[in-house]
Amino acid sequence: IIDGKPYFAIAAPKIGNPDETSISLQKSVPLDENTTLKPLEAMSYIDKPYSFKSEEQFQQFIHKAKTESLDTLYESTKSIWSKYVDADDFHISICAADTIYTYYQDKLGLTHYLFFVGNNSSGKSNNLRVLQYLAYRNMTSTDITSANIYQFLGSLEEGGGTICEDEADNIDDDKDKMRIYKNGYTTGHAVLRTDTSKERKQLRLNTFCFKAFAAERTPDSVKAKGFNQRIIELSCVYGFPQYDISEVVNPAGEEYQELLNELTETRNLLLVYRLLHYKDKIADVKLNIENREKQLFKPLIRVFQNTETLK
């Protein structure tokens, strides 16, 4: 959203210099002779839209993103996580790394899930709130249905957003949603549904994307065995974070407004960095881990290979 109006941001090789990326703003994108995509109006977004005050500000973010690296983005993202979540270094590190990974998920086609577990007042939902403001096109809600997931992820390109589900204590009782989550850790597991709103039309609906959950317990070990093999469980306990993110996203003072601006600016910077580097190749890596651990962690290692962050 730029100056209140919706646009598509399109990244393409720069004319005359294909090694560089040019970013343009367009009000529509033709797919073929009969189909043209148009961006949603601001009020129609399920996820929080990326917003800029003006086209000039958008260009400023492009200029700034060209000076950034995965290391600098990781450090700034980790700093933000540390302000709102009181947890050990592994917890903060994996959350910060996953935040950046979500902007590459559609290129890698494989992901783990994060599952925050804790009692009331443990701060587990604060983790989802940080992801809501920083992760790629994030939809955060409670009591998400399978229809909500299909509507959000759509039938075009896979990995078009991320999902956070709060109060997920009973998701193992929802068989339809369990099937989506068990298969949605990798691409190629679309679900077929028939649209009868106008005429009978077969739809191929996506399920793949990065997902995170918060609950007082992990899902049942029998009902959700396949799902539990895809999650990284992060225990949350009562702590004393530097700031309460619930107060920051509803700012009541100048200090909180500055923190909210930091969240918004970091989110916008991550998007523009994705656009500038989307054509960069992500090489495969050989690891000394296998099976489940390889599936869980290899995508992150591929994103951060040849960086200081990998250490």
Side-chain angles (χ1 to χ4, degrees):
I1 305 295
I2 296 182
D3 193 22
K5 300 176 182 178
Y7 291 89
F8 284 123
I10 308 297
K14 192 173 184 179
I15 297 176
N17 189 354
D19 292 332
E20 289 190 24
T21 298
S22 175
I23 301 176
S24 61
L25 298 173
Q26 299 181 24
K27 293 184 178 180
S28 64
V29 177
L31 293 183
D32 53 45
E33 294 180 356
N34 302 315
T35 307
T36 298
L37 285 181
K38 293 184 178 181
L40 298 172
E41 295 297 325
M43 295 297 292
S44 300
Y45 277 84
I46 298 176
D47 56 299
K48 178 180 172 61
Y50 293 86
S51 298
F52 302 85
K53 294 180 180 179
S54 63
E55 187 170 348
E56 180 183 2
Q57 187 190 53
F58 182 71
Q59 294 297 329
Q60 290 172 354
F61 271 94
I62 294 175
H63 179 74
K64 179 172 175 55
K66 289 180 179 180
T67 67
E68 298 283 344
S69 67
L70 288 174
D71 286 324
T72 59
L73 290 173
Y74 172 77
E75 289 300 325
S76 59
T77 302
K78 186 176 181 180
S79 173
I80 290 175
W81 273 94
S82 299
K83 291 177 182 178
Y84 303 113
V85 177
D86 186 4
D88 60 35
D89 187 65
F90 173 76
H91 184 125
I92 300 298
S93 297
I94 195 73
C95 289
D98 276 344
T99 300
I100 296 174
Y101 160 79
T102 63
Y103 289 81
Y104 290 88
Q105 61 175 346
D106 55 331
K107 295 187 68 175
L108 294 170
L110 185 68
T111 187
H112 58 251
Y113 303 148
L114 294 181
F115 206 106
F116 303 101
V117 183
N119 295 322
N120 292 335
S121 302
S122 65
K124 59 184 182 296
S125 296
N126 288 349
N127 292 270
L128 298 189
R129 187 61 68 88
V130 178
L131 284 170
Q132 180 183 9
Y133 269 78
L134 293 183
Y136 179 56
R137 296 191 66 244
N138 182 262
M139 174 182 73
T140 296
S141 184
T142 59
D143 195 27
I144 296 175
T145 67
S146 56
N148 295 146
I149 298 171
Y150 296 145
Q151 181 72 23
F152 177 64
L153 295 179
S155 58
L156 295 176
E157 295 181 354
E158 297 186 79
T162 58
I163 295 174
C164 288
E165 182 167 359
D166 203 358
E167 305 296 339
D169 297 88
N170 298 314
I171 61 172
D172 45 20
D173 291 330
D174 190 328
K175 294 181 180 180
D176 288 340
K177 195 159 61 174
M178 270 288 94
R179 282 191 286 267
I180 294 173
Y181 289 158
K182 286 178 181 179
N183 289 326
Y185 74 96
T186 186
T187 54
H189 286 284
V191 174
L192 301 180
R193 289 291 183 268
T194 302
D195 181 9
T196 59
S197 57
K198 294 183 179 179
E199 57 184 21
R200 293 184 66 85
K201 182 180 180 181
Q202 189 89 310
L203 296 178
R204 189 175 183 274
L205 301 169
N206 298 320
T207 61
F208 167 74
C209 74
F210 173 86
K211 305 173 184 73
F213 308 85
E216 294 183 15
R217 65 172 180 87
T218 53
D220 183 83
S221 59
V222 176
K223 294 180 183 178
K225 181 179 179 180
F227 173 80
N228 288 342
Q229 291 177 343
R230 304 301 170 194
I231 67 174
I232 294 175
E233 181 182 340
L234 296 175
S235 298
C236 302
V237 295
Y238 183 80
F240 300 93
Q242 187 177 0
Y243 298 101
D244 184 346
I245 193 168
S246 296
E247 292 182 325
V248 171
V249 298
N250 299 286
E254 183 176 347
E255 179 184 18
Y256 289 154
Q257 184 60 55
E258 291 179 358
L259 290 168
L260 179 59
N261 291 343
E262 179 186 44
L263 283 169
T264 302
E265 290 171 6
T266 301
R267 182 173 185 262
N268 286 346
L269 190 62
L270 288 170
L271 174 71
V272 175
Y273 188 89
R274 164 189 162 88
L275 290 168
L276 285 174
H277 294 275
Y278 187 75
K279 299 297 182 180
D280 295 355
K281 292 183 179 180
I282 303 177
D284 196 13
V285 292
K286 300 296 183 181
L287 303 178
N288 60 352
I289 53 177
E290 297 292 340
N291 303 322
R292 176 176 177 266
E293 284 72 24
K294 183 178 179 181
Q295 290 185 346
L296 290 178
F297 294 106
K298 184 176 179 179
L300 272 185
I301 294 174
R302 287 185 64 192
V303 168
F304 289 101
Q305 61 183 298
N306 302 321
T307 67
E308 289 297 314
T309 300
L310 187 61
K311 297 176 183 179

